[in-house]
Amino acid sequence: MEKISSENLKALESRYNIALINSLSGFKPIVLIGTRNNDGLENLAIFNSLTHIGANPPLLAIVSRPNSVDRHTIENIRDTGIFSINHVSEHFYKKAHQTSARYDRSQSEFEFCQIDKEYKDNDSVPFVKGSLLQIEMKLEQIIPIELNDTLLCLGSVQNIYVKKEFLGTDGFIDLEKMNLVCGSGLDSYYSPKLIARLPYAKP
Amino acid sequence: MEKISSENLKALESRYNIALINSLSGFKPIVLIGTRNNDGLENLAIFNSLTHIGANPPLLAIVSRPNSVDRHTIENIRDTGIFSINHVSEHFYKKAHQTSARYDRSQSEFEFCQIDKEYKDNDSVPFVKGSLLQIEMKLEQIIPIELNDTLLCLGSVQNIYVKKEFLGTDGFIDLEKMNLVCGSGLDSYYSPKLIARLPYAKP
């Protein structure tokens, strides 16, 4: 095995270092976060940091970098207290990737990336039309991570939108049947194929 | 689309609710976290919450539930300030899943799940022998998430162990070539197949 030490890391060229460290967290979920600010300006941004925090109460989190394009998302979430999670399928992953470009505040990624939007009961948050798993989230808490000036944005699940054909009788949602993608690094997209569902493990 | 509201969620049977909420975060990385306490007792536990926090400094995080089997892991990390991340490939995902069973504190999952271990320079932390991507981590901070009594455990990358054949000239690690698995829900394992690597997005 090749050993890359923290001393080696410090000496690496910046882009190489970013690609390497971004590979270390393995395969990641790919979602689009939809938001709107109090002036009605919409934003849509790709995130690969969605994390399950707990089932009861139902909590999910994303990590935001205040100095990146993510910042419009977190500003809007602070404004309205609400955001949408829209899972990305193979049929629109290229458009989803395009939302990572640095658009101005006044430019809606829905328009510039040609992604259709829809509103549901709550008119403060746009969803991605055609996303097969959409979740309306309520902001619960933003925890600053001072080590690198990022933010952990915690939300609670309000409404889940999913077609019946993807929802199992045991509550399991069939992400593969939806053709959801996962990612690695900053630029790679994958189609996961089921190996197996395993029974609950006992000693 | 079926709409499942937060009111509906509260009325769901517990196991159905857990399966449903655990599906919402999409595809997740699957890793084994190796630790040892100050008495030399080893622990190995499967986690699906590994998250990239930042590349510079190189930070990763896991979420731990203090009242679950995860707690041995977090207790050991507090003891020694160190842990190993071992990515899981298809050839040992069943053994990795078995570490989620509730073993006693005195029982090493390495032994009971028949997973080979190895020590490297630092003798405070066991690694999974045969894991194709191993990372030695130093504890940086444990942030309590009071909303549901979980812990965000933040570590910095110390040493990376990877075979040269999987490491690209741009720093990208080829997780698919390693046959790494990803998961969904609590019991499903997948083999991701590359769709494409996309260029850096510009407006």
Side-chain angles (χ1 to χ4, degrees), chain A residues 32 35 56 72 86 95 134 141 164:
Chain A
L32 287 166
T35 55
N56 190 14
H72 296 156
N86 306 270
K95 289 180 179 177
Q134 305 162 318
Q141 192 182 1
K164 260 191 178 166

Side-chain angles (χ1 to χ4, degrees), chain A residues 194-199, chain B residues 30 32 46 87-100 115 179-182 187-190:
Chain A
L194 185 69
I195 306 167
R197 287 189 75 180
L198 297 183
Chain B
I30 302 291
L32 286 166
I46 194 166
H87 280 275
V88 174
S89 294
E90 210 167 326
H91 74 277
F92 67 100
Y93 81 98
K94 282 187 185 171
K95 289 179 179 177
H97 181 74
Q98 184 58 33
T99 66
S100 63
I115 295 174
N179 289 314
L180 291 199
V181 300
C182 69
D187 57 9
S188 294
Y189 295 89
Y190 301 80

Side-chain angles (χ1 to χ4, degrees), chain A residues 61-123:
Chain A
I62 51 172
V63 179
S64 174
R65 283 158 253 287
N67 300 316
S68 76
V69 290
D70 301 356
R71 75 175 186 283
H72 296 156
T73 297
I74 205 82
E75 284 167 7
N76 291 357
I77 293 175
R78 282 203 163 115
D79 256 22
T80 62
I82 194 168
F83 58 105
S84 73
I85 296 172
N86 306 270
H87 280 275
V88 174
S89 296
E90 210 167 325
H91 74 277
F92 67 101
Y93 81 98
K94 283 186 184 172
K95 289 180 179 177
H97 181 74
Q98 184 58 32
T99 66
S100 63
R102 292 187 173 267
Y103 293 100
D104 289 341
R105 192 82 173 85
S106 62
Q107 295 176 311
S108 165
E109 289 82 6
F110 284 105
E111 188 185 333
F112 284 86
C113 304
Q114 297 177 296
I115 295 174
D116 290 338
K117 69 186 171 194
E118 64 180 340
Y119 280 83
K120 301 193 188 272
D121 303 342
N122 190 319
D123 65 4

Side-chain angles (χ1 to χ4, degrees), chain B residues 40 42 44 108 110-111 115-119 126-130:
Chain B
E42 294 159 343
L44 190 69
S108 165
F110 283 105
E111 189 185 332
I115 295 174
D116 290 337
K117 69 186 169 194
E118 65 180 340
Y119 279 84
F127 289 83
V128 172
K129 196 171 174 174

Side-chain angles (χ1 to χ4, degrees), chain B residues 17-170:
Chain B
N17 183 60
I18 289 171
L20 177 63
I21 301 301
N22 272 280
S23 297
L24 297 184
S25 51
F27 292 108
K28 299 179 261 205
I30 302 291
V31 295
L32 286 166
I33 303 290
T35 55
R36 211 172 84 150
N37 73 4
N38 283 336
D39 298 328
L41 276 177
E42 294 159 343
N43 192 272
L44 190 69
I46 194 166
F47 278 76
N48 60 16
S49 58
L50 184 68
T51 308
H52 174 85
I53 302 295
N56 191 11
L59 296 170
L60 300 168
I62 51 172
V63 179
S64 175
R65 281 158 253 289
N67 299 317
S68 77
V69 291
D70 301 355
R71 77 176 184 284
H72 295 156
T73 297
I74 205 83
E75 283 167 8
N76 291 357
I77 293 174
R78 282 203 162 115
D79 256 21
T80 62
I82 195 169
F83 58 106
S84 73
I85 296 172
N86 305 271
H87 280 275
V88 174
S89 294
E90 210 167 326
H91 74 277
F92 67 100
Y93 81 98
K94 282 187 185 171
K95 289 179 179 177
H97 181 74
Q98 184 58 33
T99 66
S100 63
R102 291 187 174 268
Y103 293 100
D104 288 342
R105 193 81 174 83
S106 63
Q107 296 177 311
S108 165
E109 289 81 5
F110 283 105
E111 189 185 332
F112 284 87
C113 304
Q114 295 176 296
I115 295 174
D116 290 337
K117 69 186 169 194
E118 65 180 340
Y119 279 84
K120 301 193 189 272
D121 303 342
N122 190 321
D123 64 3
S124 304
V125 65
F127 289 83
V128 172
K129 196 171 174 174
S131 166
L132 297 170
L133 177 56
Q134 305 163 319
I135 312 161
E136 183 184 322
M137 301 291 295
K138 180 184 159 209
L139 172 65
E140 293 292 339
Q141 192 183 0
I142 294 176
I143 300 180
I145 299 175
E146 289 171 5
L147 287 165
N148 70 340
D149 194 26
T150 54
L151 303 168
L152 186 75
C153 175
L154 289 150
S156 58
V157 174
Q158 299 302 303
N159 292 301
I160 304 166
Y161 300 92
V162 60
K163 276 195 186 149
K164 260 190 178 165
E165 64 186 286
F166 302 119
L167 183 58
T169 52
D170 57 354

Side-chain angles (χ1 to χ4, degrees), chain A residues 2-4 6 24 53 65 87 97-98 121 158 160 162 187-189 191 193 195 198-199 202, chain B residues 2-4 6 24 53 65 87 97-98 121 158 160 162 187 189 191 193 195 197-199 202:
Chain A
E2 186 89 351
K3 174 178 169 177
I4 304 167
S6 51
L24 297 184
I53 301 295
R65 283 158 253 287
H87 280 275
H97 181 74
Q98 184 58 32
D121 303 342
Q158 299 302 303
I160 304 166
V162 60
D187 57 8
S188 294
Y189 295 88
S191 173
K193 302 300 170 196
I195 306 167
L198 297 183
K202 290 174 188 168
Chain B
E2 186 90 350
K3 174 178 170 178
I4 304 167
S6 50
L24 297 184
I53 302 295
R65 281 158 253 289
H87 280 275
H97 181 74
Q98 184 58 33
D121 303 342
Q158 299 302 303
I160 304 166
V162 60
D187 57 9
Y189 295 89
S191 173
K193 303 298 172 198
I195 306 167
R197 286 189 76 179
L198 297 183
K202 289 174 187 168

Side-chain angles (χ1 to χ4, degrees), chain A residues 171-190:
Chain A
F172 178 79
I173 300 176
D174 193 334
L175 309 181
E176 183 189 16
K177 205 171 167 189
M178 288 177 178
N179 290 313
L180 291 201
V181 300
C182 70
S184 92
L186 289 165
D187 57 8
S188 294
Y189 295 88
Y190 300 80

